[in-house]
Amino acid sequence: MDLASFNLDLIKKPPVGLVLETNALRTITENCQDALEYHRMIAFLGDPGFGKTRSLEYFSSKKRNVYYVVVEKSMTSKKFYVELLNVLGFTNSFRGSDLNNLIKSISFHLRQSKQPNLLIIDEAGKFNANQLLFLHELRDNTINNTGIILSGPPYFKKNMDGWKLSGREGIPELYRRIQSWIPLQEPTMKEKKAYCQEYGILNDLAEELCDECSDFGTLDNKILEVRIAVIKYLRATEKKK
């Protein structure tokens, strides 16, 4: 094994919570700021591994009155809005409420804020048509001081296009309220190589891994395989000494 292809300190102890200055991060930061300041409703579209979630989490961690929540496939509509209330700081306060009261409570607390708010809803592609209908209600209730970000894969818009064409209740109205659909580009070679270097993989090996991987998620898996192999090699070498 050619150890010249590695920064062994980083191989042994990789960075935690790494956030690279990528095109996706810049696009998400700029548009999230606009949504926060001007109360816009925006949707980001990008394949898994493009850096959507990490960029959205980073933005929400740096700003006040920005609330980040992830849609889970197993969530009912009620569970989603209970989780959103938890994120707003009202843990378990409304667990027994019906869905209408949950949405009204969220709307009330957001409207009472003296500053602009931003709701970031990640994995929005897991919403079904009925769940999006309730989101339409929340948007109308908070439009004067709250922006909303929806983030999902390309099929999120494809699903909404289909529901809109078929006239599903509430979908055409919600669709009209989404002011921008913003596609995110896959990571560039330069970004992927910088990512490899942060994890201690250098030179031709980094370029080889980047050629094989079109996104950060796949690259993460390759980097982990390499790190495990290097660490095992180093341990075996130490034992021989």
Side-chain angles (χ1 to χ4, degrees):
M1 181 175 290
D2 182 9
L3 295 182
S5 295
F6 306 104
N7 179 326
L8 296 181
D9 290 336
L10 290 175
I11 289 288
K12 295 174 184 176
K13 190 175 181 180
V16 177
L18 173 66
V19 177
L20 283 181
E21 181 69 23
T22 63
N23 289 331
L25 178 64
R26 286 189 288 272
T27 298
I28 285 174
T29 298
E30 178 181 342
N31 286 282
C32 281
Q33 183 60 42
D34 284 349
L36 174 62
E37 186 173 352
Y38 300 107
H39 323 138
R40 301 187 71 209
M41 190 171 189
I42 292 172
F44 293 117
L45 301 172
D47 286 323
F50 280 18
K52 300 186 303 297
T53 292
R54 193 166 295 186
S55 298
L56 291 167
E57 288 177 333
Y58 181 75
F59 182 85
S60 64
S61 72
K62 298 296 181 183
K63 296 287 183 175
R64 297 182 60 184
N65 292 36
V66 176
Y67 307 101
Y68 174 88
V69 63
V70 180
V71 181
E72 297 174 359
K73 186 65 177 177
S74 60
M75 277 181 167
T76 62
S77 295
K78 180 176 178 179
K79 179 65 173 70
F80 172 77
Y81 287 102
V82 167
E83 180 62 24
L84 183 49
L85 273 166
N86 290 342
V87 171
L88 289 170
F90 298 94
T91 307
N92 298 322
S93 300
F94 299 87
R95 190 171 293 276
S97 300
D98 62 26
L99 186 56
N100 180 257
N101 282 329
L102 288 170
I103 293 173
K104 285 183 176 178
S105 297
I106 292 166
S107 302
F108 173 80
H109 290 297
L110 290 171
R111 287 197 306 264
Q112 291 301 302
S113 171
K114 296 181 180 180
Q115 301 293 327
N117 308 298
L118 182 64
L119 300 181
I120 297 177
I121 301 174
D122 202 2
E123 299 292 348
K126 294 176 182 174
F127 275 136
N128 60 40
N130 287 336
Q131 290 168 319
L132 288 170
L133 176 62
F134 303 130
L135 185 60
H136 171 203
E137 186 177 339
L138 178 64
R139 174 58 174 166
D140 283 356
N141 290 346
T142 61
I143 195 168
N144 290 325
N145 77 327
T146 300
I148 296 179
I149 296 291
L150 302 173
S151 177
Y155 68 73
F156 171 49
K157 186 174 187 297
K158 184 177 179 180
N159 287 344
M160 285 201 67
D161 287 339
W163 292 328
K164 178 187 173 188
L165 286 172
S166 65
R168 289 293 293 268
E169 181 185 1
I171 297 299
E173 293 86 353
L174 178 63
Y175 197 102
R176 180 175 60 80
R177 284 159 173 77
I178 299 175
Q179 294 155 313
S180 296
W181 294 89
I182 300 173
L184 300 173
Q185 303 302 313
E186 69 178 46
T188 65
M189 176 62 76
K190 182 179 179 181
E191 290 169 352
K192 290 184 290 185
K193 287 176 71 174
Y195 194 78
C196 285
Q197 289 169 9
E198 292 289 342
Y199 284 90
I201 300 175
L202 314 172
N203 307 328
D204 291 344
L205 179 57
E207 188 155 351
E208 180 182 332
L209 294 183
C210 294
D211 279 335
E212 295 175 9
C213 304
S214 62
D215 62 81
F216 290 123
T218 308
L219 188 57
D220 263 333
N221 293 335
K222 292 287 186 180
I223 288 171
L224 181 58
E225 290 177 10
V226 171
R227 287 188 57 245
I228 291 172
V230 173
I231 289 169
K232 285 184 176 180
Y233 174 82
L234 293 173
R235 288 173 180 170
T237 303
E238 285 296 318
K239 285 182 180 178
K240 288 179 182 178
K241 292 179 180 178

